[in-house]
Amino acid sequence: MTPDWQDAVRVRLHRKNALLFHPQDDLLGELRQKLHGLSRRACVLWALSLAEETVRALAAFFPADLRPADALAAASGWAAGECTMARARRAILACHALAKETDSAEAAALCHALGQACSVVHTPRHVLGLPVYELTALVRRSGADGAWESSVRARVGAYLAAADRAEREARLPRRWAPLLQDRSAAADASTSKEVIS
């Protein structure tokens, strides 16, 4: 019998693991399935909309540092065809580097969550990186003895609601980069399957 997700998190906390959640955790099963069914565009919209919240959270840790906001702006610009992949990649890597400059495990996890969210523009395989790192940050904020279970469940519910919104918004007219241009329905469906690899 596999342990429930709360027990798995407690074990990872005890072992002092950097990541407290994994993409294959049962907790993320419904979200995995939901994201698996989304188009690539909807995955990008989902990740970038949630990344806005992460940028705001990081501002509390790094009020004068523009790297988180720059990473999101570059990734959004890349998705719209307004900046190059090279520019977005540099900004995303700078955000990941910010994680190494802090002693806060919560802030470091949020930096990686943002980097993963912004990288969804490149490939949907990064899509579960956002919840894995962000939920880790949430538990780090609450502490090992904190009442984090209900907060984690609520956040997963927010991810599912955001996926529903992204699915609707992906159908609206919007400027997309060539890598996200319309393709046949079959090609779009096969690309969305990359989410769960």
Side-chain angles (χ1 to χ4, degrees):
M1 180 173 162
T2 59
D4 64 16
W5 67 269
Q6 297 99 326
D7 289 341
V9 170
R10 287 185 190 96
V11 166
R12 292 168 189 152
L13 273 166
H14 180 71
R15 290 180 180 165
K16 300 190 184 324
N17 291 14
L19 278 176
L20 304 177
F21 296 86
H22 294 277
Q24 296 304 320
D25 285 349
D26 289 343
L27 171 72
L28 299 175
E30 184 180 357
L31 180 63
R32 269 194 318 272
Q33 185 176 2
K34 180 70 173 175
L35 294 174
H36 181 73
L38 294 182
S39 69
R40 184 173 178 189
R41 287 180 180 184
C43 285
V44 168
L45 291 173
W46 177 83
L48 295 180
S49 70
L50 291 166
E52 292 174 13
E53 298 173 35
T54 310
V55 168
R56 287 192 296 273
L58 281 167
F61 291 98
F62 311 106
D65 201 311
L66 299 178
R67 286 177 283 183
D70 187 46
L72 178 56
S76 297
W78 182 22
E82 297 166 357
C83 86
T84 64
M85 176 177 135
R87 155 104 173 74
R89 185 175 183 271
R90 281 191 305 274
I92 292 166
L93 290 175
C95 187
H96 280 300
L98 183 58
K100 295 177 182 172
E101 299 173 20
T102 181
D103 293 329
S104 167
E106 178 187 354
L110 288 172
C111 289
H112 292 308
L114 179 59
Q116 291 291 312
C118 292
S119 297
V120 172
V121 176
H122 180 248
T123 174
R125 283 182 285 221
H126 290 281
V127 79
L128 288 172
L130 171 97
V132 163
Y133 280 101
E134 191 182 64
L135 293 174
T136 293
L138 197 155
V139 174
R140 298 288 185 205
R141 181 182 327 127
S142 299
D145 298 324
W148 42 263
E149 290 94 342
S150 61
S151 298
V152 166
R153 280 194 192 95
R155 192 62 186 151
V156 172
Y159 296 147
L160 289 164
D164 289 337
R165 285 191 304 277
E167 191 171 30
R168 290 190 300 273
E169 289 174 17
R171 296 184 196 118
L172 301 175
R174 179 184 290 261
R175 184 175 174 189
W176 292 103
L179 78 153
L180 296 169
Q181 290 295 324
D182 275 336
R183 299 180 310 272
S184 71
D188 198 41
S190 71
T191 302
S192 71
K193 287 181 174 57
E194 292 178 24
V195 171
I196 311 302
S197 56

PDB file of all heavy atoms in Angstrom, residues 51-65 67-69 95 98-99 102 106-115:
ATOM      1  N   ALA A  51       1.865  32.162 -12.688  1.00  0.00           N
ATOM      2  CA  ALA A  51       3.180  32.773 -12.476  1.00  0.00           C
ATOM      3  C   ALA A  51       3.055  34.219 -12.003  1.00  0.00           C
ATOM      4  O   ALA A  51       3.918  34.709 -11.271  1.00  0.00           O
ATOM      5  CB  ALA A  51       4.003  32.697 -13.758  1.00  0.00           C
ATOM      6  N   GLU A  52       1.977  34.892 -12.375  1.00  0.00           N
ATOM      7  CA  GLU A  52       1.758  36.271 -11.904  1.00  0.00           C
ATOM      8  C   GLU A  52       1.675  36.297 -10.373  1.00  0.00           C
ATOM      9  O   GLU A  52       2.229  37.186  -9.737  1.00  0.00           O
ATOM     10  CB  GLU A  52       0.483  36.850 -12.517  1.00  0.00           C
ATOM     11  CG  GLU A  52       0.582  37.082 -14.010  1.00  0.00           C
ATOM     12  CD  GLU A  52      -0.735  37.519 -14.634  1.00  0.00           C
ATOM     13  OE1 GLU A  52      -1.677  37.880 -13.885  1.00  0.00           O
ATOM     14  OE2 GLU A  52      -0.818  37.489 -15.864  1.00  0.00           O
ATOM     15  N   GLU A  53       0.996  35.328  -9.802  1.00  0.00           N
ATOM     16  CA  GLU A  53       0.895  35.243  -8.340  1.00  0.00           C
ATOM     17  C   GLU A  53       2.257  34.960  -7.719  1.00  0.00           C
ATOM     18  O   GLU A  53       2.591  35.491  -6.654  1.00  0.00           O
ATOM     19  CB  GLU A  53      -0.088  34.136  -7.939  1.00  0.00           C
ATOM     20  CG  GLU A  53      -1.504  34.362  -8.415  1.00  0.00           C
ATOM     21  CD  GLU A  53      -2.395  33.160  -8.136  1.00  0.00           C
ATOM     22  OE1 GLU A  53      -2.190  32.498  -7.095  1.00  0.00           O
ATOM     23  OE2 GLU A  53      -3.284  32.883  -8.961  1.00  0.00           O
ATOM     24  N   THR A  54       3.041  34.132  -8.388  1.00  0.00           N
ATOM     25  CA  THR A  54       4.364  33.788  -7.876  1.00  0.00           C
ATOM     26  C   THR A  54       5.279  35.008  -7.884  1.00  0.00           C
ATOM     27  O   THR A  54       6.042  35.222  -6.940  1.00  0.00           O
ATOM     28  CB  THR A  54       4.974  32.640  -8.701  1.00  0.00           C
ATOM     29  OG1 THR A  54       4.014  31.583  -8.793  1.00  0.00           O
ATOM     30  CG2 THR A  54       6.246  32.115  -8.068  1.00  0.00           C
ATOM     31  N   VAL A  55       5.183  35.817  -8.930  1.00  0.00           N
ATOM     32  CA  VAL A  55       5.979  37.049  -8.990  1.00  0.00           C
ATOM     33  C   VAL A  55       5.620  37.958  -7.813  1.00  0.00           C
ATOM     34  O   VAL A  55       6.503  38.525  -7.154  1.00  0.00           O
ATOM     35  CB  VAL A  55       5.787  37.774 -10.341  1.00  0.00           C
ATOM     36  CG1 VAL A  55       6.359  39.183 -10.304  1.00  0.00           C
ATOM     37  CG2 VAL A  55       6.427  36.976 -11.472  1.00  0.00           C
ATOM     38  N   ARG A  56       4.335  38.081  -7.526  1.00  0.00           N
ATOM     39  CA  ARG A  56       3.921  38.914  -6.379  1.00  0.00           C
ATOM     40  C   ARG A  56       4.450  38.348  -5.063  1.00  0.00           C
ATOM     41  O   ARG A  56       4.889  39.087  -4.189  1.00  0.00           O
ATOM     42  CB  ARG A  56       2.391  39.045  -6.342  1.00  0.00           C
ATOM     43  CG  ARG A  56       1.842  39.956  -7.438  1.00  0.00           C
ATOM     44  CD  ARG A  56       0.382  40.314  -7.214  1.00  0.00           C
ATOM     45  NE  ARG A  56      -0.517  39.176  -7.269  1.00  0.00           N
ATOM     46  CZ  ARG A  56      -1.071  38.699  -8.373  1.00  0.00           C
ATOM     47  NH1 ARG A  56      -0.805  39.239  -9.540  1.00  0.00           N
ATOM     48  NH2 ARG A  56      -1.898  37.669  -8.323  1.00  0.00           N
ATOM     49  N   ALA A  57       4.420  37.033  -4.911  1.00  0.00           N
ATOM     50  CA  ALA A  57       4.933  36.414  -3.687  1.00  0.00           C
ATOM     51  C   ALA A  57       6.438  36.647  -3.555  1.00  0.00           C
ATOM     52  O   ALA A  57       6.942  36.914  -2.459  1.00  0.00           O
ATOM     53  CB  ALA A  57       4.618  34.919  -3.677  1.00  0.00           C
ATOM     54  N   LEU A  58       7.149  36.572  -4.655  1.00  0.00           N
ATOM     55  CA  LEU A  58       8.599  36.777  -4.615  1.00  0.00           C
ATOM     56  C   LEU A  58       8.969  38.228  -4.312  1.00  0.00           C
ATOM     57  O   LEU A  58      10.034  38.488  -3.750  1.00  0.00           O
ATOM     58  CB  LEU A  58       9.232  36.330  -5.934  1.00  0.00           C
ATOM     59  CG  LEU A  58       9.408  34.817  -6.068  1.00  0.00           C
ATOM     60  CD1 LEU A  58       9.748  34.430  -7.502  1.00  0.00           C
ATOM     61  CD2 LEU A  58      10.466  34.311  -5.109  1.00  0.00           C
ATOM     62  N   ALA A  59       8.094  39.153  -4.642  1.00  0.00           N
ATOM     63  CA  ALA A  59       8.366  40.571  -4.346  1.00  0.00           C
ATOM     64  C   ALA A  59       8.505  40.808  -2.846  1.00  0.00           C
ATOM     65  O   ALA A  59       9.218  41.716  -2.420  1.00  0.00           O
ATOM     66  CB  ALA A  59       7.275  41.455  -4.933  1.00  0.00           C
ATOM     67  N   ALA A  60       7.857  39.977  -2.038  1.00  0.00           N
ATOM     68  CA  ALA A  60       7.988  40.112  -0.580  1.00  0.00           C
ATOM     69  C   ALA A  60       9.393  39.720  -0.118  1.00  0.00           C
ATOM     70  O   ALA A  60       9.899  40.264   0.864  1.00  0.00           O
ATOM     71  CB  ALA A  60       6.943  39.242   0.121  1.00  0.00           C
ATOM     72  N   PHE A  61      10.017  38.801  -0.832  1.00  0.00           N
ATOM     73  CA  PHE A  61      11.368  38.368  -0.483  1.00  0.00           C
ATOM     74  C   PHE A  61      12.440  39.245  -1.124  1.00  0.00           C
ATOM     75  O   PHE A  61      13.486  39.486  -0.539  1.00  0.00           O
ATOM     76  CB  PHE A  61      11.599  36.913  -0.922  1.00  0.00           C
ATOM     77  CG  PHE A  61      10.814  35.915  -0.139  1.00  0.00           C
ATOM     78  CD1 PHE A  61       9.619  35.413  -0.628  1.00  0.00           C
ATOM     79  CD2 PHE A  61      11.273  35.468   1.093  1.00  0.00           C
ATOM     80  CE1 PHE A  61       8.880  34.482   0.094  1.00  0.00           C
ATOM     81  CE2 PHE A  61      10.546  34.534   1.821  1.00  0.00           C
ATOM     82  CZ  PHE A  61       9.349  34.050   1.325  1.00  0.00           C
ATOM     83  N   PHE A  62      12.176  39.683  -2.339  1.00  0.00           N
ATOM     84  CA  PHE A  62      13.161  40.441  -3.118  1.00  0.00           C
ATOM     85  C   PHE A  62      12.507  41.710  -3.676  1.00  0.00           C
ATOM     86  O   PHE A  62      12.276  41.818  -4.889  1.00  0.00           O
ATOM     87  CB  PHE A  62      13.686  39.587  -4.284  1.00  0.00           C
ATOM     88  CG  PHE A  62      14.132  38.205  -3.898  1.00  0.00           C
ATOM     89  CD1 PHE A  62      13.350  37.095  -4.216  1.00  0.00           C
ATOM     90  CD2 PHE A  62      15.326  37.999  -3.223  1.00  0.00           C
ATOM     91  CE1 PHE A  62      13.762  35.812  -3.885  1.00  0.00           C
ATOM     92  CE2 PHE A  62      15.742  36.720  -2.882  1.00  0.00           C
ATOM     93  CZ  PHE A  62      14.959  35.625  -3.208  1.00  0.00           C
ATOM     94  N   PRO A  63      12.171  42.681  -2.824  1.00  0.00           N
ATOM     95  CA  PRO A  63      11.403  43.838  -3.288  1.00  0.00           C
ATOM     96  C   PRO A  63      12.088  44.663  -4.374  1.00  0.00           C
ATOM     97  O   PRO A  63      11.409  45.264  -5.209  1.00  0.00           O
ATOM     98  CB  PRO A  63      11.183  44.662  -2.019  1.00  0.00           C
ATOM     99  CG  PRO A  63      12.115  44.120  -1.003  1.00  0.00           C
ATOM    100  CD  PRO A  63      12.477  42.732  -1.402  1.00  0.00           C
ATOM    101  N   ALA A  64      13.415  44.684  -4.401  1.00  0.00           N
ATOM    102  CA  ALA A  64      14.119  45.504  -5.385  1.00  0.00           C
ATOM    103  C   ALA A  64      14.639  44.693  -6.568  1.00  0.00           C
ATOM    104  O   ALA A  64      15.221  45.262  -7.490  1.00  0.00           O
ATOM    105  CB  ALA A  64      15.280  46.236  -4.702  1.00  0.00           C
ATOM    106  N   ASP A  65      14.429  43.391  -6.561  1.00  0.00           N
ATOM    107  CA  ASP A  65      14.981  42.540  -7.619  1.00  0.00           C
ATOM    108  C   ASP A  65      13.939  42.364  -8.725  1.00  0.00           C
ATOM    109  O   ASP A  65      12.826  41.893  -8.469  1.00  0.00           O
ATOM    110  CB  ASP A  65      15.386  41.182  -7.044  1.00  0.00           C
ATOM    111  CG  ASP A  65      16.397  40.471  -7.921  1.00  0.00           C
ATOM    112  OD1 ASP A  65      16.159  40.385  -9.152  1.00  0.00           O
ATOM    113  OD2 ASP A  65      17.413  40.007  -7.391  1.00  0.00           O
ATOM    114  N   ARG A  67      14.302  40.419 -11.400  1.00  0.00           N
ATOM    115  CA  ARG A  67      14.436  39.163 -12.157  1.00  0.00           C
ATOM    116  C   ARG A  67      13.151  38.345 -12.232  1.00  0.00           C
ATOM    117  O   ARG A  67      12.822  37.833 -13.316  1.00  0.00           O
ATOM    118  CB  ARG A  67      15.594  38.329 -11.615  1.00  0.00           C
ATOM    119  CG  ARG A  67      16.950  38.898 -12.018  1.00  0.00           C
ATOM    120  CD  ARG A  67      18.095  38.123 -11.434  1.00  0.00           C
ATOM    121  NE  ARG A  67      18.264  38.475 -10.025  1.00  0.00           N
ATOM    122  CZ  ARG A  67      19.236  37.989  -9.258  1.00  0.00           C
ATOM    123  NH1 ARG A  67      20.091  37.115  -9.743  1.00  0.00           N
ATOM    124  NH2 ARG A  67      19.335  38.367  -8.004  1.00  0.00           N
ATOM    125  N   PRO A  68      12.380  38.196 -11.152  1.00  0.00           N
ATOM    126  CA  PRO A  68      11.137  37.426 -11.301  1.00  0.00           C
ATOM    127  C   PRO A  68      10.157  38.067 -12.302  1.00  0.00           C
ATOM    128  O   PRO A  68       9.632  37.373 -13.182  1.00  0.00           O
ATOM    129  CB  PRO A  68      10.567  37.402  -9.883  1.00  0.00           C
ATOM    130  CG  PRO A  68      11.771  37.528  -9.001  1.00  0.00           C
ATOM    131  CD  PRO A  68      12.666  38.490  -9.739  1.00  0.00           C
ATOM    132  N   ALA A  69       9.945  39.364 -12.176  1.00  0.00           N
ATOM    133  CA  ALA A  69       9.028  40.048 -13.106  1.00  0.00           C
ATOM    134  C   ALA A  69       9.564  40.000 -14.530  1.00  0.00           C
ATOM    135  O   ALA A  69       8.802  39.843 -15.493  1.00  0.00           O
ATOM    136  CB  ALA A  69       8.808  41.491 -12.653  1.00  0.00           C
ATOM    137  N   CYS A  95      16.184  33.866 -13.044  1.00  0.00           N
ATOM    138  CA  CYS A  95      15.240  33.637 -11.944  1.00  0.00           C
ATOM    139  C   CYS A  95      15.625  32.382 -11.164  1.00  0.00           C
ATOM    140  O   CYS A  95      15.596  32.380  -9.934  1.00  0.00           O
ATOM    141  CB  CYS A  95      13.828  33.524 -12.494  1.00  0.00           C
ATOM    142  SG  CYS A  95      12.584  33.430 -11.203  1.00  0.00           S
ATOM    143  N   LEU A  98      18.460  33.161  -8.895  1.00  0.00           N
ATOM    144  CA  LEU A  98      18.052  33.901  -7.698  1.00  0.00           C
ATOM    145  C   LEU A  98      17.801  32.951  -6.525  1.00  0.00           C
ATOM    146  O   LEU A  98      18.041  33.295  -5.372  1.00  0.00           O
ATOM    147  CB  LEU A  98      16.799  34.733  -8.014  1.00  0.00           C
ATOM    148  CG  LEU A  98      16.238  35.633  -6.923  1.00  0.00           C
ATOM    149  CD1 LEU A  98      17.277  36.643  -6.445  1.00  0.00           C
ATOM    150  CD2 LEU A  98      14.994  36.350  -7.457  1.00  0.00           C
ATOM    151  N   ALA A  99      17.354  31.746  -6.816  1.00  0.00           N
ATOM    152  CA  ALA A  99      17.094  30.750  -5.761  1.00  0.00           C
ATOM    153  C   ALA A  99      18.356  30.432  -4.978  1.00  0.00           C
ATOM    154  O   ALA A  99      18.292  30.116  -3.787  1.00  0.00           O
ATOM    155  CB  ALA A  99      16.517  29.484  -6.369  1.00  0.00           C
ATOM    156  N   THR A 102      19.454  33.021  -1.868  1.00  0.00           N
ATOM    157  CA  THR A 102      18.639  33.208  -0.663  1.00  0.00           C
ATOM    158  C   THR A 102      18.827  32.049   0.300  1.00  0.00           C
ATOM    159  O   THR A 102      19.099  30.919  -0.125  1.00  0.00           O
ATOM    160  CB  THR A 102      17.147  33.357  -1.022  1.00  0.00           C
ATOM    161  OG1 THR A 102      16.397  33.567   0.170  1.00  0.00           O
ATOM    162  CG2 THR A 102      16.596  32.137  -1.749  1.00  0.00           C
ATOM    163  N   GLU A 106      11.609  28.655   1.248  1.00  0.00           N
ATOM    164  CA  GLU A 106      10.354  29.045   0.602  1.00  0.00           C
ATOM    165  C   GLU A 106      10.628  29.892  -0.631  1.00  0.00           C
ATOM    166  O   GLU A 106      10.075  29.639  -1.712  1.00  0.00           O
ATOM    167  CB  GLU A 106       9.476  29.827   1.589  1.00  0.00           C
ATOM    168  CG  GLU A 106       8.184  30.310   0.966  1.00  0.00           C
ATOM    169  CD  GLU A 106       7.378  31.235   1.875  1.00  0.00           C
ATOM    170  OE1 GLU A 106       7.753  31.430   3.047  1.00  0.00           O
ATOM    171  OE2 GLU A 106       6.356  31.768   1.388  1.00  0.00           O
ATOM    172  N   ALA A 107      11.466  30.905  -0.492  1.00  0.00           N
ATOM    173  CA  ALA A 107      11.773  31.791  -1.620  1.00  0.00           C
ATOM    174  C   ALA A 107      12.456  31.024  -2.741  1.00  0.00           C
ATOM    175  O   ALA A 107      12.149  31.233  -3.930  1.00  0.00           O
ATOM    176  CB  ALA A 107      12.641  32.951  -1.158  1.00  0.00           C
ATOM    177  N   ALA A 108      13.377  30.130  -2.390  1.00  0.00           N
ATOM    178  CA  ALA A 108      14.068  29.338  -3.411  1.00  0.00           C
ATOM    179  C   ALA A 108      13.076  28.490  -4.204  1.00  0.00           C
ATOM    180  O   ALA A 108      13.135  28.424  -5.435  1.00  0.00           O
ATOM    181  CB  ALA A 108      15.135  28.460  -2.768  1.00  0.00           C
ATOM    182  N   ALA A 109      12.146  27.858  -3.499  1.00  0.00           N
ATOM    183  CA  ALA A 109      11.137  27.035  -4.181  1.00  0.00           C
ATOM    184  C   ALA A 109      10.261  27.889  -5.087  1.00  0.00           C
ATOM    185  O   ALA A 109       9.914  27.478  -6.197  1.00  0.00           O
ATOM    186  CB  ALA A 109      10.292  26.275  -3.161  1.00  0.00           C
ATOM    187  N   LEU A 110       9.909  29.093  -4.649  1.00  0.00           N
ATOM    188  CA  LEU A 110       9.100  29.980  -5.482  1.00  0.00           C
ATOM    189  C   LEU A 110       9.853  30.419  -6.734  1.00  0.00           C
ATOM    190  O   LEU A 110       9.260  30.538  -7.814  1.00  0.00           O
ATOM    191  CB  LEU A 110       8.648  31.202  -4.676  1.00  0.00           C
ATOM    192  CG  LEU A 110       7.575  30.935  -3.627  1.00  0.00           C
ATOM    193  CD1 LEU A 110       7.356  32.178  -2.756  1.00  0.00           C
ATOM    194  CD2 LEU A 110       6.266  30.497  -4.280  1.00  0.00           C
ATOM    195  N   CYS A 111      11.161  30.660  -6.609  1.00  0.00           N
ATOM    196  CA  CYS A 111      11.969  31.000  -7.785  1.00  0.00           C
ATOM    197  C   CYS A 111      11.917  29.872  -8.814  1.00  0.00           C
ATOM    198  O   CYS A 111      11.733  30.117 -10.019  1.00  0.00           O
ATOM    199  CB  CYS A 111      13.420  31.266  -7.394  1.00  0.00           C
ATOM    200  SG  CYS A 111      13.700  32.793  -6.485  1.00  0.00           S
ATOM    201  N   HIS A 112      12.067  28.650  -8.335  1.00  0.00           N
ATOM    202  CA  HIS A 112      12.021  27.503  -9.253  1.00  0.00           C
ATOM    203  C   HIS A 112      10.617  27.289  -9.812  1.00  0.00           C
ATOM    204  O   HIS A 112      10.467  26.916 -10.983  1.00  0.00           O
ATOM    205  CB  HIS A 112      12.533  26.248  -8.559  1.00  0.00           C
ATOM    206  CG  HIS A 112      14.000  26.301  -8.252  1.00  0.00           C
ATOM    207  ND1 HIS A 112      14.964  26.599  -9.192  1.00  0.00           N
ATOM    208  CD2 HIS A 112      14.668  26.099  -7.092  1.00  0.00           C
ATOM    209  CE1 HIS A 112      16.163  26.564  -8.634  1.00  0.00           C
ATOM    210  NE2 HIS A 112      16.006  26.276  -7.350  1.00  0.00           N
ATOM    211  N   ALA A 113       9.592  27.542  -9.005  1.00  0.00           N
ATOM    212  CA  ALA A 113       8.211  27.430  -9.498  1.00  0.00           C
ATOM    213  C   ALA A 113       7.995  28.397 -10.657  1.00  0.00           C
ATOM    214  O   ALA A 113       7.412  28.041 -11.688  1.00  0.00           O
ATOM    215  CB  ALA A 113       7.220  27.713  -8.371  1.00  0.00           C
ATOM    216  N   LEU A 114       8.487  29.623 -10.489  1.00  0.00           N
ATOM    217  CA  LEU A 114       8.340  30.626 -11.545  1.00  0.00           C
ATOM    218  C   LEU A 114       9.112  30.214 -12.791  1.00  0.00           C
ATOM    219  O   LEU A 114       8.598  30.311 -13.914  1.00  0.00           O
ATOM    220  CB  LEU A 114       8.809  31.992 -11.039  1.00  0.00           C
ATOM    221  CG  LEU A 114       8.739  33.129 -12.055  1.00  0.00           C
ATOM    222  CD1 LEU A 114       7.314  33.326 -12.557  1.00  0.00           C
ATOM    223  CD2 LEU A 114       9.278  34.413 -11.431  1.00  0.00           C
ATOM    224  N   GLY A 115      10.331  29.731 -12.607  1.00  0.00           N
ATOM    225  CA  GLY A 115      11.120  29.287 -13.750  1.00  0.00           C
ATOM    226  C   GLY A 115      10.441  28.161 -14.509  1.00  0.00           C
ATOM    227  O   GLY A 115      10.419  28.142 -15.744  1.00  0.00           O
TER     228      GLY A 115
END
